[in-house]
Amino acid sequence: MSDGNSGILFVVSAPSGAGKTSLLRALLPEDDNLVLSVSHTTRPPRPGEEDGVHYHFVSVEEFMRLAGEGAFLEQAEVFGNYYGTSEAGVRDQLASGRDVVLEIDWQGARQVRKAFPGAVSIFIAPPSIETLRERLSGRGQDDIEVIERRMADARSELSHYPEYDYLVINDDFETALQDLRCIVRAERLREPRSAARHQAALAGMLAQG
């Protein structure tokens, strides 16, 4: 848990196909104080992705240079590509009072917890393996070999759900989205944060009488 004057760091993880990205795309525009940290990656952009918006797309050489300088809060290799989160970028956003969402896997989540023990972690899971397979196949982006590899990785990712503070099952999209809204609101209402926002009013009430 962070103090009342800085933002909250939310770590969100899920197996590929669980709907994490779609849920965050629906949640973030609703909340002006909730921002998504833009990660660096060496993978090529997918159709519709923009540099600096969805990811900072960099070469392997540039990524390794940044990693060597200790620029990343967390980093991981996924499907042969590298991903990393800028520590300076996250700390600057939190210091400004904004709440930051990291969309990372369980490996990255473990690294972040070491640097930010008060981070709030959320794991999003599908209702079943069968549903996950249907979602991955329905994308139409990957061949059967890639889907099978993603299924194997999904089972591995799922095994780490007990490490998280919250578990959201994405069976119904609107219900899962409401669950995420509730988590964010509940964390903001924790006493140190809420008291810091209403310090003057609380002091005035205590001074009366």
Side-chain angles (χ1 to χ4, degrees), residues 42-170:
T42 60
R43 76 159 172 79
R46 292 173 180 163
E49 289 184 333
E50 297 179 37
D51 184 45
V53 176
H54 299 93
Y55 286 97
H56 297 295
F57 295 100
V58 297
S59 65
V60 173
E61 293 75 18
E62 175 68 5
F63 188 95
M64 292 304 177
R65 182 187 68 78
L66 291 169
E69 294 174 355
F72 296 130
L73 173 61
E74 60 81 29
Q75 62 188 78
E77 182 181 357
V78 183
F79 302 131
N81 297 303
Y82 294 100
Y83 295 80
T85 300
S86 167
E87 181 167 356
V90 169
R91 291 191 181 277
D92 288 347
Q93 292 278 20
L94 293 174
S96 72
R98 305 191 81 182
D99 299 331
V100 179
V101 176
L102 297 185
E103 186 182 353
I104 54 180
D105 71 356
W106 67 269
Q107 301 174 74
R110 280 187 176 177
Q111 295 173 55
V112 170
R113 288 190 196 98
K114 292 180 181 179
F116 292 89
V120 178
S121 56
I122 306 167
F123 193 92
I124 299 172
S128 69
I129 283 293
E130 292 74 21
T131 300
L132 187 64
R133 183 182 293 278
E134 289 173 5
R135 291 175 182 174
L136 289 174
S137 300
R139 286 178 173 180
Q141 296 178 345
D142 304 313
D143 58 31
I144 188 64
E145 183 179 342
V146 171
I147 290 173
E148 289 305 319
R149 186 176 64 182
R150 289 186 182 276
M151 288 297 298
D153 288 337
R155 289 187 176 90
S156 174
E157 185 91 24
L158 280 164
S159 71
H160 295 278
Y161 79 85
E163 301 175 17
Y164 291 73
D165 299 314
Y166 295 93
L167 174 63
V168 173
I169 304 298
N170 185 17

